[in-house]
Amino acid sequence: MDKQKILIADDSEMNRSLLAAILEDQYEIVEVSNGAEAVALLSQHRSDFSLLLLDIMMPKMDGFEVLTYINKYHWNDMFAVIMISADDSPENIKRAYDLGAFDYISRPFDFTIVHRRISNTMLLYARQHRLERIIAEQFYEQERNNKLMISILSHIVEFRNGESGLHVMHVNTITEHLLERLVQRTDRYPLTKSEIALIGTASSLHDIGKISVSDAILNKRGPLTAEEFEVIKTHSAVGARMLLELPFEQQELPFVKTASEICRWHHERYDGNGYPDGLKGEQIPIAAQVVGLADVYDALTSKRCYKREYSQDEALKMIVEGQCGAFHPILLQCLQEVADELKHELMDTTIGQDTKSIQNLKEKMDYDKLFPRKEYASFSAGQQHLQYLYIDSLTGIYNRRYFEEYFQGEEDSEAVVVMDVDNFKRVNDHYGHYAGDCVLQSVAKTVSSSIRKTDAVIRYGGDEFVILFYRIPVDAFEKKLEGIRRSVDRMVIDEYPEIHVSVSIGGVYGRGKTRELFLVADSMMYQAKATKNQVTIHFPARDTDEDKKGSDNVNAQQ
């Protein structure tokens, strides 16, 4: 078994030698002589270390400066820090603990005490991390289950309403885009990432009150009468009341409060001409304002039983001109700024335009083959072996084995993509393999969030990914790949904000054997990689058409 690794940062060679002599039998020791060297080493290899023994008084960068740097970038999530110094003043000890030190050891060293305290620190830190992982896994499992239940409830309403089943997902996507842009434009609404995510999830319940409206009114073809419209309008208050009638301890939860505000007030308008309460301006909670705008935008761009679908440009024009009621001026600016992103994000509306519901779509493809991805559902006890066989342990997406066993032999594939991370070796060499892992995880997450649930993203090997699209129009295919490239190009990695990531994407669009299409897409990827951060696509059908035109021209001349 490999020894745990300890880094000693001290400008005194004698002190480093004393500590190494105490610890080298049990641990692997690495030494540096100043704080700058410690930061440089940890920036590339911090995941290798379990503990840092850090002196305070050092040249170039003292111990407190190193500790401040470590705390700023959350490196102490990966290893413990023990300060070592001859100065055991209460001020220094307090400052060390305030900056995130795990313990403080004073010189001169007592061999037994040093060894015992370091051993206890390593043990406690390991247990703490294990507990944190267990709690995090339990939290995310509960969060997945909660989102699943919310999705089921909201889709029940959609199916009754004769909608496509995508409306909830679209409103969620539009809401989060608008909120992210809103906090960039103004500090009037200081929302955190977790609060934006909460509002996005709560938006799924915005129309839950429609469960109280009859099918005859919900699915009426043609305009509603004044009386029928009054019935429809009751859904906002009914939805809020459903949530506020939950047990008291649940009513007080932030999610329930936010969801009830959205339910009741997402049809209010900025000028006071909305319903049910005629609220005006900032009287309307910002969550309800944003969801209301997202709801209108998606309703306009979707086909309903009572109306045609408008193009996204038409919808934007109608909203900005006030044809759908008045909205917050800043939100209208945000919508215009994210409009191009939404065009790519909402291409899910192109899935099977000949289908009327998700059920119809399900009948057209083998969902038993596409079992749910890890991020969307957990495997049952009887399916655990599938997770180990077919899910990549680092990124949580499908692995190469899944591609080879389920897709490579297909005879009638349509759109295949091969994608490679640019300059990935340089990231590993310069920042370390942990940084490389973070890059791959971020790329996988970004790509997964950019495709439809009917598509599949696969980690083929190393930094290479494969994406398989099902029934996607050719123009949507081109826009989707460019959207993925752009999303990765704008991606920010929380732990390494200084790392810029781009991808080279090769695609092929045309029916054929998956194995053959994969080879073509791989060739296209290498063409894109010649300049990097590019998309290159091959369209066999277009080449055939051009060849045919050329042949026709030759025949005509003869």
Side-chain angles (χ1 to χ4, degrees), residues 45 62 75 270 332 395 432 489:
H45 303 289
D62 67 34
W75 291 359
Y270 202 68
L332 292 179
T395 60
D489 190 48

Side-chain angles (χ1 to χ4, degrees), residues 157 160-161 163 167 205-214 217-218 224 228-243 259-269 275-276 291-292 295 304 306:
V157 177
R160 288 194 66 239
N161 201 21
E163 296 174 356
H167 179 61
L205 296 178
H206 70 282
D207 274 342
I208 194 71
K210 284 184 178 178
I211 204 165
S212 67
V213 180
S214 70
I217 295 178
L218 280 178
L224 298 173
E228 288 169 338
F229 185 58
E230 289 302 317
V231 173
I232 283 283
K233 287 167 64 175
T234 63
H235 81 275
S236 56
V238 170
R241 187 167 64 249
M242 289 169 61
L243 293 172
S260 64
E261 290 176 354
I262 290 170
C263 283
R264 185 171 186 89
W265 293 313
H266 70 283
H267 283 291
E268 299 287 359
R269 292 297 177 258
Y275 65 86
V291 174
D295 185 35
R304 300 288 172 83
Y306 53 85

Side-chain angles (χ1 to χ4, degrees), residues 55-229:
D55 186 24
I56 293 180
M57 301 302 295
M58 291 185 293
K60 296 185 180 180
M61 197 173 188
D62 67 34
F64 288 130
E65 291 174 313
V66 173
L67 197 53
T68 300
Y69 194 94
I70 288 171
N71 193 44
K72 177 180 178 181
Y73 292 103
H74 305 287
W75 291 359
N76 47 359
D77 291 343
M78 285 174 264
F79 55 81
V81 180
I82 294 179
M83 301 299 286
I84 48 176
S85 177
D87 183 352
D88 59 355
S89 64
E91 294 79 10
N92 271 355
I93 295 174
K94 181 180 183 301
R95 186 181 178 191
Y97 283 126
D98 288 344
L99 289 173
F102 201 86
D103 201 352
Y104 194 103
I105 296 177
S106 300
R107 287 198 296 261
F109 301 128
D110 181 297
F111 281 36
T112 302
I113 292 176
V114 168
H115 194 280
R116 179 60 60 88
R117 289 175 71 172
I118 288 175
S119 177
N120 288 345
T121 296
M122 302 280 265
L123 180 61
L124 287 171
Y125 212 69
R127 286 178 177 174
Q128 176 182 318
H129 271 257
R130 181 172 175 273
L131 287 172
E132 287 174 352
R133 283 196 299 270
I134 292 172
I135 292 169
E137 288 169 4
Q138 292 174 343
F139 172 79
Y140 288 121
E141 178 67 23
Q142 185 64 45
E143 186 179 39
R144 282 194 295 268
N145 291 337
N146 290 342
K147 287 186 177 181
L148 177 61
M149 289 304 299
I150 291 166
S151 179
I152 291 169
L153 287 171
S154 56
H155 278 85
I156 288 171
V157 177
E158 287 197 12
F159 281 123
R160 288 194 66 239
N161 201 21
E163 296 174 356
S164 68
L166 293 169
H167 179 61
V168 165
M169 288 185 284
H170 286 177
V171 170
N172 184 302
T173 297
I174 299 166
T175 296
E176 292 192 357
H177 274 272
L178 288 173
L179 288 170
E180 287 168 359
R181 185 53 58 96
L182 180 65
V183 298
Q184 292 172 5
R185 285 194 62 87
T186 176
D187 56 4
R188 192 183 306 174
Y189 309 101
L191 299 169
T192 64
K193 287 184 178 181
S194 61
E195 288 170 332
I196 289 173
L198 182 144
I199 294 171
T201 303
S203 73
S204 302
L205 296 178
H206 70 282
D207 274 342
I208 194 71
K210 284 184 178 178
I211 204 165
S212 67
V213 180
S214 70
D215 290 346
I217 295 178
L218 280 178
N219 299 318
K220 181 179 179 179
R221 296 182 180 276
L224 298 173
T225 66
E227 293 78 11
E228 288 169 338
F229 185 58

Side-chain angles (χ1 to χ4, degrees), residues 510-551:
R511 293 198 175 277
K513 297 179 179 179
T514 303
R515 189 191 308 273
E516 295 173 357
L517 294 179
F518 170 81
L519 293 175
V520 175
D522 193 50
S523 174
M524 293 297 101
M525 183 272 291
Y526 278 103
Q527 288 187 32
K529 205 163 183 65
T531 51
K532 295 184 173 58
N533 199 18
Q534 296 291 326
V535 176
T536 305
I537 307 175
H538 178 61
F539 299 94
R542 292 182 184 176
D543 291 346
T544 301
D545 290 343
E546 290 176 4
D547 290 344
K548 185 176 184 302
K549 288 178 182 177
S551 177

Side-chain angles (χ1 to χ4, degrees), residues 481-525:
L481 297 197
E482 179 57 30
I484 290 172
R485 183 202 65 77
R486 190 169 55 250
S487 295
V488 174
D489 190 48
R490 294 198 306 259
M491 185 176 73
V492 176
I493 302 173
D494 290 339
E495 294 187 62
Y496 297 91
E498 69 275 20
I499 297 179
H500 172 256
V501 181
S502 66
V503 289
S504 298
I505 301 176
V508 57
Y509 187 93
R511 293 198 175 277
K513 297 179 179 179
T514 303
R515 189 191 308 273
E516 295 173 357
L517 294 179
F518 170 81
L519 293 175
V520 175
D522 193 50
S523 174
M524 293 297 101
M525 183 272 291

Side-chain angles (χ1 to χ4, degrees), residues 213-364:
V213 180
S214 70
D215 290 346
I217 295 178
L218 280 178
N219 299 318
K220 181 179 179 179
R221 296 182 180 276
L224 298 173
T225 66
E227 293 78 11
E228 288 169 338
F229 185 58
E230 289 302 317
V231 173
I232 283 283
K233 287 167 64 175
T234 63
H235 81 275
S236 56
V238 170
R241 187 167 64 249
M242 289 169 61
L243 293 172
L244 293 177
E245 288 177 352
L246 291 170
F248 178 77
E249 64 274 10
Q250 294 177 8
Q251 293 178 30
E252 295 301 306
L253 294 174
F255 175 83
V256 175
K257 285 185 174 181
T258 302
S260 64
E261 290 176 354
I262 290 170
C263 283
R264 185 171 186 89
W265 293 313
H266 70 283
H267 283 291
E268 299 287 359
R269 292 297 177 258
Y270 202 68
D271 59 0
N273 289 322
Y275 65 86
D277 301 312
L279 300 185
K280 184 176 181 180
E282 295 302 326
Q283 293 177 329
I284 312 166
I286 191 62
Q289 291 190 54
V290 173
V291 174
L293 180 55
D295 185 35
V296 167
Y297 184 82
D298 188 63
L300 288 173
T301 56
S302 303
K303 185 177 180 180
R304 300 288 172 83
C305 62
Y306 53 85
K307 61 171 277 294
R308 72 173 179 88
E309 62 182 293
Y310 295 94
S311 72
Q312 291 179 316
D313 290 336
E314 289 176 311
L316 185 62
K317 184 174 183 291
M318 292 168 69
I319 292 171
V320 171
E321 290 179 350
Q323 297 180 40
C324 308
F327 292 95
H328 197 312
I330 295 179
L331 289 182
L332 292 179
Q333 293 174 7
C334 292
L335 179 61
Q336 293 176 81
E337 290 170 4
V338 301
D340 288 339
E341 296 175 22
L342 293 178
K343 284 182 181 180
H344 297 288
E345 291 286 337
L346 303 184
M347 280 194 297
D348 288 344
T349 55
T350 64
I351 300 176
Q353 293 177 342
D354 58 331
T355 62
K356 295 182 179 179
S357 69
I358 286 179
Q359 182 59 38
N360 288 348
L361 178 61
K362 183 175 179 179
E363 293 169 1
K364 292 180 177 289

